[in-house]
Amino acid sequence: MSRGSGKGLSLKDKLDGNELDLSLCDLNEVPVRELAALPKATILDLSCNNLISLPSDFCSLMHLVKLDLSKNRLQQLPLDFGRLVNLQHLDLLNNRLVTLPVSFAQLKNLKWLDLKDNPLDPVLAKVAGDCLDEKQCKQAAVKVLQHMKAIQSEQDRQRQRKLQAEREMEKKREAEQRAKEAQERELRKREKAEEKERRRREYDAQKAAKQEMEKKTKKETVHTRKPASSSRPPQPPRHKPSWSRSVLRVLLFVLFCILCALAACKLTELQHQPLCVSVNTLYEDVVAALQNHKTLQNMLQHNSRQ
């Protein structure tokens, strides 16, 4: 293995039982592929190198139980660092770490942790405390795990709230979309009804105009036929009831009454009564006048003939 590249020297030469010591090798990167080929190497020492970051596939080394990354220049750990679920001992002394990935909370088997000499976030630094002896390092592992689990839980709750808010927003959008579609359907329905009503009015108007035209044509036809009908012989006027008939009836009734009175005065014992005497006298005068009138009429007719 050449210094800096991590290639050229077999890792098996560095393997002692289940411990692989790669410290003080001036490494700039971790030979993950070669390490994955040595599942027996459960203890890995990468201290005192020039590591700035760890590759994401480093987290595939799930066989690691003890890992020493102290005295490097690590600025952050991979986001899925929590995949190293078998890790029990972790030394991160003297690096440049500020925070830990949330997945750190998944290291449920972690028993020992050293985060001294890192520019940690004040809250994380207070939680981790000092690691000056075995007891403090064990307490640091427990407290940091609890702290990271709380962060993870809070992030999960935030994600749930965000997801819930997104679902509610989606439901709201769906409800608005349904309301919009319903409104559009109602608008189309109303427009369809208005169009139908408009066509019905047009139909009624056309029908009325047609009927009016037929009536006008029929009337013109009747007017045209009137002169021909005038050549027909005039029909005798119908007798209609009028006031003259009523007057005639009254005169007949009066004449009847007079005749009855004359008969009574001539033929009954009432003829000697003053009223009957006057009636009889009037009757004789009228008869005489009629006879004179008849005689005068005959004379006139005789003279006219001569």
Side-chain angles (χ1 to χ4, degrees):
M1 179 187 296
S2 63
R3 303 173 72 86
S5 64
K7 298 179 181 179
L9 182 64
S10 175
L11 296 183
K12 292 182 179 180
D13 297 336
K14 294 281 188 177
L15 184 61
D16 183 8
N18 64 342
E19 183 176 354
L20 181 61
D21 187 1
L22 297 179
S23 63
L24 300 170
C25 291
D26 198 22
L27 296 176
N28 294 321
E29 60 183 23
V30 180
V32 177
R33 184 175 300 177
E34 290 82 354
L35 292 173
L38 298 174
K40 291 196 304 181
T42 58
I43 300 175
L44 178 60
D45 188 354
L46 291 170
S47 62
C48 302
N49 282 292
N50 299 317
L51 300 176
I52 297 176
S53 63
L54 300 177
S56 58
D57 57 351
F58 180 84
C59 302
S60 64
L61 304 176
M62 298 175 62
H63 59 277
L64 294 178
V65 175
K66 183 176 180 179
L67 177 61
D68 189 350
L69 292 168
S70 62
K71 298 182 181 179
N72 278 280
R73 293 183 293 168
L74 294 173
Q75 298 178 3
Q76 61 182 8
L77 298 179
L79 294 178
D80 54 349
F81 192 80
R83 291 176 59 193
L84 303 175
V85 292
N86 293 313
L87 200 60
Q88 299 179 13
H89 188 287
L90 179 60
D91 192 345
L92 293 170
L93 171 72
N94 195 10
N95 277 278
R96 299 177 182 178
L97 298 173
V98 177
T99 60
L100 298 175
V102 178
S103 64
F104 199 91
Q106 300 173 13
L107 302 177
K108 57 183 179 179
N109 292 315
L110 191 64
K111 303 293 189 298
W112 194 97
L113 177 63
D114 189 357
L115 287 171
K116 289 194 311 296
D117 299 331
N118 279 280
L120 297 174
D121 177 80
V123 177
L124 180 59
K126 183 178 180 180
V127 171
D130 294 327
C131 184
L132 302 176
D133 54 31
E134 190 75 10
K135 182 179 179 181
Q136 288 182 345
C137 293
K138 289 182 178 180
Q139 289 179 349
V142 173
K143 292 180 179 180
V144 170
L145 281 179
Q146 291 176 350
H147 176 69
M148 298 310 297
K149 286 179 180 178
I151 293 177
Q152 186 181 45
S153 298
E154 180 60 27
Q155 288 188 354
D156 290 341
R157 285 192 292 271
Q158 289 180 358
R159 279 195 296 271
Q160 288 295 328
R161 286 195 292 268
K162 184 178 179 180
L163 182 61
Q164 183 66 24
E166 290 176 352
R167 289 175 180 173
E168 291 178 356
M169 185 62 67
E170 182 65 23
K171 288 181 180 179
K172 184 178 180 181
R173 284 195 295 267
E174 291 177 355
E176 291 177 351
Q177 183 65 25
R178 287 194 297 270
K180 183 178 179 181
E181 291 175 355
Q183 186 176 5
E184 291 176 353
R185 286 195 300 270
E186 184 64 25
L187 180 61
R188 288 194 297 269
K189 185 178 179 181
R190 186 164 59 251
E191 290 176 350
K192 186 176 180 180
E194 291 175 354
E195 177 65 18
K196 187 175 181 180
E197 181 63 22
R198 184 185 63 80
R199 292 200 303 269
R200 184 182 289 111
R201 287 196 299 268
E202 290 179 353
Y203 173 78
D204 293 341
Q206 292 175 359
K207 187 176 180 180
K210 185 177 180 181
Q211 291 177 351
E212 184 66 23
M213 183 64 68
E214 291 177 353
K215 188 184 296 184
K216 185 176 180 181
T217 304
K218 188 175 180 181
K219 188 175 181 180
E220 290 176 353
T221 303
V222 171
H223 285 306
T224 304
R225 291 179 180 178
K226 272 188 177 181
S229 62
S230 63
S231 61
R232 297 179 182 178
Q235 297 180 356
R238 296 180 180 179
H239 295 286
K240 296 183 180 180
S242 63
W243 63 271
S244 59
R245 183 174 296 181
S246 300
V247 172
L248 181 60
R249 288 179 181 177
V250 172
L251 292 176
L252 290 175
F253 178 74
V254 171
L255 180 60
F256 177 76
C257 292
I258 293 172
L259 292 175
C260 291
L262 286 174
C265 289
K266 285 287 188 181
L267 302 177
T268 63
E269 296 178 354
L270 298 175
Q271 58 184 338
H272 301 292
Q273 295 295 327
L275 180 60
C276 285
V277 172
S278 300
V279 170
N280 291 329
T281 303
L282 179 62
Y283 172 72
E284 292 174 356
D285 293 339
V286 170
V287 170
L290 290 173
Q291 288 176 353
N292 292 332
H293 177 70
K294 187 174 183 181
T295 302
L296 180 61
Q297 186 176 7
N298 291 331
M299 291 177 63
L300 291 173
Q301 287 179 357
H302 178 74
N303 293 330
S304 63
R305 288 175 184 176
Q306 292 179 353

